[in-house]
Amino acid sequence: METTLRGVGVSHGVAIGEVRHMGTAVLEPPAKQIPAEDAEREQGRARQAVDAVAADLNARGNLAGGEAQAVLEAQAMMAQDPELIADVDRRIAVGSTAERAVYDAFASYRALLAGAGEYLAGRVADLDDVRNRIVARLLGVPMPGVPDSDEPYVLIARDLAPADTALLDPTLVLGFVTEEGGPTSHSAILARALGVPAVVALPGAGELAEGTVIAVDGSTGEIFVEPSAEKKAQLQAAAAQRKAALGGSTGPGATSDGHKVPLLANVGGPADVPAAVEAGAEGVGLFRTEFLFLDDSKNAPTEAKQVEAYRQVLEAFPEGRVVVRVLDAGADKPLDFLTPADEPNPALGVRGLRSLLDHPDVLRTQLTALAKAAEGLPVHLEVMAPMVADRADAKAFADACRAAGLRAKFGAMVEIPSAALRARSILQEVEFLSLGTNDLAQYTFAADRQVGAVSRLQDPWQPALLDLVALSAEAARAEGKSCGVCGEAASDPLLACVLIGLGVTSLSMGAASIPYVRASLAKYTLAQCERAAVAARAADSADEARDAAQAVLSGE
């Protein structure tokens, strides 16, 4: 009998297939004592396992490239954390086996993360995955992970670790469904990059029996269990219709009445560029530069290394616009040479621009590298600072850009509610705004983007978030400057129309979403988008806002 479940759709498309469950987690190793003379050998085993897992994560990152590489390299750093390794050594010295020492040391660190505020608590799933991989290697059992199958399937998991998501084979994994996660979690972002339909935050997903046929609609978040032939045909027809619309939509982004909407790509490095170019991106709206810095948590990359990487991206978009975000470190992206190790709540501490202003040499080197990378190129370079709170932050960043001799537009990211509320003040110092809706939602609603239990508050359709977007866009319009969106909200084809109606001037997203957004914008006039925006802001919940906008655009 067909039943319908609803989670949060995070990656467009329809997948129909049999359920396969993620490999089970490693069992807890037995707590047994070892003789003192075996301690050194066990410590060696532990270190070998840690190094092997870190090497595997880095290798997976190199294969995946781009944003996935940055996430996986961060996990590798987590595996080799000196404090964790020292704790493992201590536990072995008093009689634990290598596997039990790893298990207990990670459990202790896990408890610290879980109690360190919502933002760091979201890293617990990544930590568990690292622990499971190390313990599995020590026990000599198969790694937990994606199941082996010769036939395509729909993957079900409690959550997907980045190491698994990054290397999913789209020819076998038709789509995936998770119990945890949110619309801006690592899994969701990587799913969009892969172009795999995905639904997250679905309670009870793990109870779906192995082999059950389900249909996953990554746009609506609906899961149809044992769908009827009629339902399958309906979903496949809708998918075919969307695909046909995509095929007929090419060229620059614009509404049906010709209002131009530049559609840009979010990239993590040179590896993401080919997909962006293929999707018809008109430039880069968010170049995340963290990938370079995650290679070595103890030392910043040299100026020469930065110049080389930046130039590869800039050269890919001649005459195009490339917006670079300077290093956004801290919180879930700690770097030993930059971020404090003892902050009680790093998400609300010294992160982003605050870290860079505390380490002006790191900022100066990056800005100088960007200036040199752009020399002789016709590209329109723009550079923006993350986590800008007020006009003083914006001025400090603009002054640093000028001091470095950077010939580019300087901008500020709006990720903190104060920046949206005082956007016009900030625009006295910088030339553009870019809305990072992922963090803006997180800070507006005190809702961690990695925690599925608060996913309704991470929904970019929340009217309060739309109000902050409108405030920022209105301020930019009043100052004659631009205001783009580079958060994942821009990847929702319907919401993209609303954002334009709110006054946003450009949209940046994962490359896979660009064709969907281009096709959606081409169906409506600017006036329709503006009416949809008014209707969405008048609603009292995200669902009501979405329905109200849809009703306006469909002429109901």
Side-chain angles (χ1 to χ4, degrees):
M1 177 180 175
E2 179 181 314
T3 56
T4 304
L5 306 173
R6 193 179 191 99
V8 178
V10 296
S11 185
H12 305 298
V14 171
I16 302 174
E18 292 187 0
V19 163
R20 293 286 182 276
H21 285 270
M22 197 74 172
T24 56
V26 176
L27 297 176
E28 180 178 348
K32 62 182 182 181
Q33 291 287 304
I34 60 168
E37 59 267 23
D38 289 346
E40 187 174 345
R41 178 177 61 83
E42 289 295 287
Q43 288 170 341
R45 287 183 63 228
R47 287 174 182 273
Q48 286 177 356
V50 164
D51 290 343
V53 166
D56 178 62
L57 290 168
N58 281 320
R60 287 169 178 258
N62 289 332
L63 285 172
E67 187 160 4
Q69 183 172 7
V71 173
L72 291 169
E73 287 176 349
Q75 269 198 300
M77 286 164 49
M78 188 181 283
Q80 295 179 304
D81 182 275
E83 290 187 19
L84 263 174
I85 293 173
D87 192 14
V88 170
D89 282 345
R90 284 193 295 270
R91 292 173 187 275
I92 293 174
V94 295
S96 284
T97 61
E99 48 267 35
R100 184 70 206 193
V102 168
Y103 187 89
D104 289 341
F106 271 75
S108 177
Y109 194 44
R110 188 185 199 278
L112 288 174
L113 282 185
E118 292 284 351
Y119 205 95
L120 279 183
R123 305 280 75 75
V124 166
D126 292 358
L127 186 70
D128 287 347
D129 179 60
V130 172
R131 176 204 64 199
N132 291 346
R133 291 173 184 277
I134 296 171
V135 173
R137 185 170 289 274
L138 286 165
L139 292 175
V141 300
M143 289 281 178
V146 178
D148 290 329
S149 176
D150 294 329
E151 298 296 324
Y153 59 91
V154 177
L155 182 63
I156 306 293
R158 183 185 64 79
D159 200 357
L160 279 171
D164 297 312
T165 317
L167 295 181
L168 289 179
D169 182 351
T171 63
L172 284 176
V173 181
L174 302 171
F176 66 75
V177 180
T178 67
E179 291 191 48
E180 299 293 330
T184 59
S185 65
H186 284 151
S187 294
I189 293 171
L190 295 175
R192 284 189 283 270
L194 287 165
V196 176
V199 171
V200 301
L202 179 70
E207 298 171 13
L208 292 168
E210 190 87 3
T212 303
V213 175
I214 64 172
V216 179
D217 190 328
S219 299
T220 65
E222 292 174 304
I223 306 293
F224 303 95
V225 183
E226 299 290 1
S228 64
E230 182 181 359
K231 174 59 70 176
K232 289 181 183 177
Q234 179 185 343
L235 289 169
Q236 288 167 335
Q241 187 177 17
R242 283 197 288 263
K243 187 174 181 181
L246 296 182
S249 177
T250 58
T255 58
S256 63
D257 56 339
H259 176 73
K260 292 182 179 179
V261 183
L263 300 181
L264 312 170
N266 294 344
V267 304
D272 290 340
V273 167
V277 172
E278 184 178 354
E282 298 168 58
V284 172
L286 173 61
F287 179 5
R288 301 179 176 97
T289 57
E290 290 78 54
F291 81 102
L292 267 175
F293 292 79
L294 290 171
D295 283 346
D296 181 354
S297 69
K298 299 186 184 302
N299 301 287
T302 64
E303 181 184 298
K305 182 176 180 181
Q306 292 188 55
V307 170
E308 181 184 1
Y310 301 152
R311 194 169 180 89
Q312 287 182 56
V313 175
L314 296 176
E315 286 176 335
F317 296 96
E319 304 292 345
R321 177 187 179 200
V322 175
V323 184
V324 179
R325 180 179 70 191
V326 293
L327 175 61
D328 184 14
D332 64 332
K333 294 172 284 190
L335 294 170
D336 293 348
F337 65 88
L338 197 67
T339 48
D342 55 353
E343 286 189 302
N345 192 343
L348 301 180
V350 183
R351 65 165 293 200
L353 179 61
R354 299 167 187 175
S355 292
L356 293 173
L357 294 178
D358 279 353
H359 297 79
D361 54 325
V362 175
L363 177 58
R364 188 184 310 111
T365 299
Q366 184 169 26
L367 294 174
T368 302
L370 283 165
K372 290 183 177 180
E375 284 178 2
L377 296 179
V379 68
H380 300 287
L381 175 63
E382 301 184 14
V383 182
M384 62 185 181
M387 303 301 294
V388 171
D390 57 16
R391 181 172 179 173
D393 278 351
K395 183 179 187 306
F397 178 66
D399 287 347
C401 289
R402 283 188 283 267
L406 192 61
R407 295 183 179 179
K409 285 187 176 181
F410 317 141
M413 291 197 70
V414 178
E415 301 165 283
I416 303 173
S418 64
L421 294 168
R422 301 290 295 170
R424 195 159 183 181
S425 172
I426 287 171
L427 283 165
Q428 304 310 303
E429 304 293 342
V430 295
E431 299 173 80
F432 69 94
L433 299 177
S434 183
L435 288 144
T437 51
N438 304 349
D439 270 324
L440 186 57
Q442 175 170 251
Y443 288 120
T444 299
F445 298 103
D448 191 309
R449 56 195 281 190
Q450 301 293 331
V451 178
V454 292
S455 61
R456 90 175 171 82
L457 296 172
Q458 301 154 356
D459 192 326
W461 280 95
Q462 285 285 354
L465 186 65
L466 299 181
D467 288 343
L468 293 175
V469 173
L471 278 174
S472 303
E474 288 164 7
R477 185 188 302 115
E479 294 296 327
K481 296 179 179 180
S482 63
C483 177
V485 169
C486 64
E488 292 301 316
S491 66
D492 180 331
L494 181 62
L495 183 52
C497 297
V498 169
L499 294 174
I500 296 308
L502 292 173
V504 166
T505 55
S506 66
L507 300 170
S508 189
M509 65 210 77
S513 298
I514 290 175
Y516 291 91
V517 172
R518 183 191 293 120
S520 180
L521 288 172
K523 293 192 294 186
Y524 308 111
T525 64
L526 177 59
Q528 285 177 297
C529 294
E530 290 171 340
R531 289 196 295 273
V534 170
R537 289 183 69 189
D540 291 319
S541 71
D543 287 341
E544 289 177 10
R546 186 183 290 105
D547 292 343
Q550 181 65 72
V552 169
L553 293 176
S554 60
E556 295 176 8

